[in-house]
Amino acid sequence: MPEFGEASASVMMRGTAMEALAEVATGRFAERMLLDAAARLLLVVKRVLLLRATGMLREAAPRPPQRRAVSEVERIVARWNPGATTAAEFAQDMAPRDVVLLVNLAPIWAGVAARP
């Protein structure tokens, strides 16, 4: 497999590929990617909220159609204590509904948070 920088495929590579295929086939891959995205979003939102608390960023001023997104995202993230669990651990323990809400509403939240 010269295109991958290796002379030949290894048994370990085959095992890894087969595990990945099984994850994709069962939907587990998408679930894991969703949890990874939620964990990353927890970090971003928590940092922005910390910067707001220290006065380095302004408070969010959502318009009426954005209020639900802002309140839901901040509600979910407010429950996370970074001193007690990692973002990945918290994301895995979140209700599936909250994972989906966080991932789907975060772009709206970010648009409000980034607005000058």
Side-chain angles (χ1 to χ4, degrees):
M1 296 180 128
E3 66 272 12
F4 294 115
E6 295 187 29
S8 65
S10 69
V11 172
M12 193 163 107
M13 181 188 295
R14 183 181 184 282
T16 302
M18 294 307 293
E19 287 175 23
L21 286 173
E23 279 191 334
V24 171
T26 62
R28 176 74 179 118
F29 182 81
E31 180 184 333
R32 189 163 46 95
M33 292 301 100
L34 191 63
L35 290 173
D36 287 349
R40 291 173 187 265
L41 289 166
L42 285 165
L43 290 168
V44 170
V45 175
K46 190 63 104 171
R47 288 177 183 157
V48 168
L49 295 177
L50 177 62
L51 290 169
R52 275 190 204 155
T54 62
M56 295 182 72
L57 286 177
R58 66 167 185 74
E59 287 295 319
R63 295 182 178 103
Q66 301 164 322
R67 287 189 186 134
R68 176 178 175 258
V70 170
S71 68
E72 289 286 355
V73 167
E74 292 184 6
R75 172 192 63 81
I76 293 165
V77 175
R79 294 181 16 238
W80 175 45
N81 176 359
T85 60
T86 67
E89 291 167 339
F90 185 80
Q92 289 175 353
D93 290 340
M94 286 170 55
R97 176 185 181 275
D98 282 348
V99 172
V100 171
L101 279 173
L102 179 60
V103 171
N104 289 339
L105 297 178
I108 297 167
W109 175 89
V112 171
R115 202 170 44 228

